[in-house]
Amino acid sequence: MLRSDRRATDGDALADAFLRAEGSLCFDDLVEATPNADVGDVSAWLGHALQEGLVEEIRAELGAPRCFRLRSRGRRIMTLARRADG
């Protein structure tokens, strides 16, 4: 899944936030989901998830917060990883 040993807990929390979300999550929502993580770690995790095609950015009006949603591929991979861990 999208984690390293150093960020395992934060990666799991971010994945869980996306799996629980009924819609999109804005960057601030992701930061709130990981209160012990640095903003840079959240940004790096999100960048990797975007690059891997697990998450997609929702286009918004100029000046609106950046928001993201889980893609079908991301849901499958994160759900499988959660089952394997649990």
Side-chain angles (χ1 to χ4, degrees):
M1 190 158 85
L2 291 171
R3 59 185 179 164
S4 69
D5 290 339
R6 187 173 75 81
R7 291 190 212 130
T9 303
D10 300 330
D12 288 346
L14 289 165
D16 286 343
F18 272 111
L19 289 169
R20 285 191 316 270
E22 293 182 17
S24 62
L25 295 171
C26 294
F27 187 79
D28 288 344
D29 299 326
L30 296 170
V31 171
E32 276 185 35
T34 56
N36 296 322
D38 292 333
V39 172
D41 287 342
V42 174
S43 182
W45 185 94
L46 184 58
H48 184 76
L50 285 163
Q51 182 179 2
E52 293 297 318
L54 305 177
V55 171
E56 65 184 344
E57 184 172 2
I58 310 274
R59 299 290 177 200
E61 295 181 26
L62 187 61
R66 292 182 70 185
C67 295
F68 309 87
R69 72 175 159 223
L70 195 57
R71 298 181 74 193
S72 297
R73 179 177 187 271
R75 183 167 300 283
R76 282 191 313 272
I77 289 172
M78 290 179 194
T79 299
L80 287 171
R82 180 190 265 182
R83 287 181 188 156
D85 288 345

